[in-house]
Amino acid sequence: MENDPFQIAPECRPDSVNLDELNPSQRQAVEQTEGPVLVIAGAGSGKTRTLVYRVAYLLEQGVRPEKILLLTFTRKASQEMLWRAGQLANESCRRVIGGTFHGIANMLLRRYGHHLGFGSSFTIIDRGDAEGIVNLLKGSLGLTGRDKQFPTKRVVINMLSGSVNKSIDLEDLIYESYAHLTEHVDDIKRLEKHYKEFKFNNGLMDYDDLLVNWKRLLAEVPEARTEIAARYSHIMVDEYQDTNLIQADIVRLLAHGHKNVMVVGDDSQSIYSFRGADFYNIMRFPKVFSDTQIIKLEENYRSSQPILSLTNDIIRNAEEKYTKTLFSKIEGDVKPRLFVARDEREEADFIAQKIADLQKNGTDLKNIAVLFRSGFHSYKLELELNASAVDFEKRGGLKLTETAHMKDVIAFLRLQVNPYDSLSWNRILLHLDKVGPKTARKIVDTITAADDPILALPGYPCGKPWKAGMEKLVQLLQDMRRETKPGTLYEQVLLYYQPLFEQIYRDDYPKRQKDLDQLKSIITDYVDLQSFVDDTTLDPPENSTNPHAEDQNKMILSTIHSSKGLEWDAVFILGLADGRFPHSKAQFGEQWEEERRLLYVAATRAKKYLYLTYPRRMMTPDRQFHTVGMSPFLAELRAGLYERLDQEYSSPTALFAEQSNFASETDLPAKKKKKKLSADELRIGIRVRHPFFGEGVVSKDMKGRSVDVAFPGHGIKTLHLDYAKLSLI
């Protein structure tokens, strides 16, 4: 690894940039190098290609490479873009700066953080570390015990992080999203104060701190803002629809004095509000920069036109959007297909059978994906695929460095770059035989008060039961002080840690050993320890249980959120039933609109074949089977955009199950078309019944076609009468 992990592009070939390889909209975005530019890049429209060519074009136009800043949401994305730009540009672009918001924040705060009172050797902590600190503070503040119903460490961190990422006061967030915990508001605020103090006193920053402090640096220190803004004359931001308010403010402040900022994104793919992403950042960009030029990329290079016609129609009814129409020159006349199953069992059976058909017709398993709204929606399909011996990978799980044994070894390395990291000290000391939490806490408090905690450790008075263990630890830390190569340091740690590792994880240490070996191969690529320690938190490698997943012929099961940015020849979207998609808790308004965008993202992953499925009967939260209709988003689609397959498909197993549990449809009496309820019938106090929420009472007069109903145990729900199946009691 280079010392600066963001200077990553290779030496470039002396070829000039051929803009004739771009379509007119892409070329316009590349050549518009001055002033604010908003590129609305539809799914599969070549936004990465556009950014790559723009970097190369800027270099060709004489912009110094170190004056260009490319902000992305994964480091892999920036590395790929700058590498590709390096194949186009006519000069060296090793000095182009590219990375994630958090990565660039880390780099700048180490150089300018002294303005805010931070040293350059702070340690970045991950989610697990943050929860550990909160747990520690809960105990010291007396917020634990049998008689305490205080929120868990996970919930507390969710609150603290949510407050930062959504830019709202912690107390307001609690009353808005955690109303059942309002009795703990004062204690949570006290915990927040101590959490901030603990991090500052121990030279720690969590993910949120990186962004908060970067914004503070730009907003509160004019000297730093002027120097940093002048440092980057041309700024580009990828996936702008996924930014939160802090990131949007950072972009605005970075453009101070020149406004040469191009943001690229798709409002129709804004689906991460639960992480703090703000859909309105991309919508308000032209207001923040009044002279913004808007460019739309609408030619799709991924999907056939029948698939795009359906996806265009999904987003057509969005309340707020940049209107665009995706089109494609890719040949193909296969329309998306809709299958309405009798129940979830038949839905799974159908998907498994179609996967087998696709395989027979030459589609590899790795080019097939099944997408769903929530992880548990695929359980029945997983059983069916296992029974059919179909290899699949379900996306998710821990990152390599998030596992306990990896945190153990990294703690030793973190102390070499930040000796005041009390979290790492605590983890290491608890491995000593006969040393418990109280003793570890006393040791940490004593040595971190010294000028050099590692030098202070040998002077701590040891108890006889753990003196021998302490002497071995002291010897290790002193030996590490005499070494600088990350690979050698890691080998020193392993010599000490291996016996402890086999004892602590004696039930499964052979399986975990592979992770220790994999980390050894990773760390040897680094030339300095600080970069490695930062990367284990900012950009952790994937878990090693399947290191060659991309080379294996396995189909993918994935939540839609995890599928964004990916593509497959054939895509199945299951569970498209009313009450499941959109999610039953989604209310009309922004939640509802994000669910619509979620379906759009799922459908635009397909290149050749798109299957949409849902069951007519499924088990609802009250553990009863109910008949359900199709998702309102499917019901809105215009005729002729898809073909129905359920009339021509028959599953013997599902048919048997249906005959055993339900009356056949021919035995059911014909349903009369229900008259839509009116405002006169739904006055305040009227009792109604909903198939999911049960009995409730109208709590507010109708507004348009929406009505507020209070349901015992569920709270007040805003329901739209065109979709909600309400009946009078």
Side-chain angles (χ1 to χ4, degrees), residues 21 42 57-58 129 179 182 327 386-387 389 455 459 479 589 594 612 654 729:
E21 297 174 348
Y57 183 74
L58 285 169
D129 297 329
T182 52
F327 66 93
N386 282 323
L455 290 180
D479 289 345
E594 180 159 324
L612 313 168
I729 297 177

Side-chain angles (χ1 to χ4, degrees), residues 145-164:
R146 293 184 179 179
D147 58 334
K148 300 286 186 181
Q149 297 299 318
F150 198 76
T152 64
K153 60 184 180 181
R154 180 184 63 81
V155 172
V156 171
I157 288 296
N158 285 344
M159 291 176 176
L160 301 184
S161 184
S163 171
V164 171

Side-chain angles (χ1 to χ4, degrees), residues 611-662:
Y611 292 88
L612 313 168
T613 71
Y614 74 91
R616 284 201 299 269
R617 295 186 181 91
M618 65 182 186
M619 186 177 288
T620 50
D622 57 4
R623 303 196 62 79
Q624 298 293 320
F625 280 101
H626 289 275
T627 300
V628 294
M630 66 170 58
S631 164
F633 301 140
L634 291 184
E636 291 175 350
L637 295 177
R638 288 180 283 204
L641 292 175
Y642 58 82
E643 297 176 355
R644 287 193 62 152
L645 298 181
D646 37 305
Q647 290 91 348
E648 57 192 63
Y649 173 85
S650 178
S651 163
T653 56
L655 183 59
F656 176 78
E658 180 181 12
Q659 290 172 340
S660 301
N661 295 288
F662 309 106

Side-chain angles (χ1 to χ4, degrees), residues 312-356:
N312 286 334
D313 214 51
I314 290 172
I315 212 68
R316 172 178 56 89
N317 291 305
E319 289 184 359
E320 290 190 67
K321 61 182 180 294
Y322 289 103
T323 301
K324 59 184 177 296
T325 303
L326 298 182
F327 66 93
S328 176
K329 296 176 183 176
I330 297 174
E331 294 184 4
D333 57 2
V334 179
K335 288 184 179 181
R337 288 147 179 188
L338 172 68
F339 178 73
V340 184
R342 295 180 179 88
D343 52 29
E344 291 177 90
R345 186 177 177 184
E346 185 181 61
E347 182 181 33
D349 183 275
F350 168 80
I351 293 173
Q353 181 174 312
K354 285 300 175 186
I355 289 170

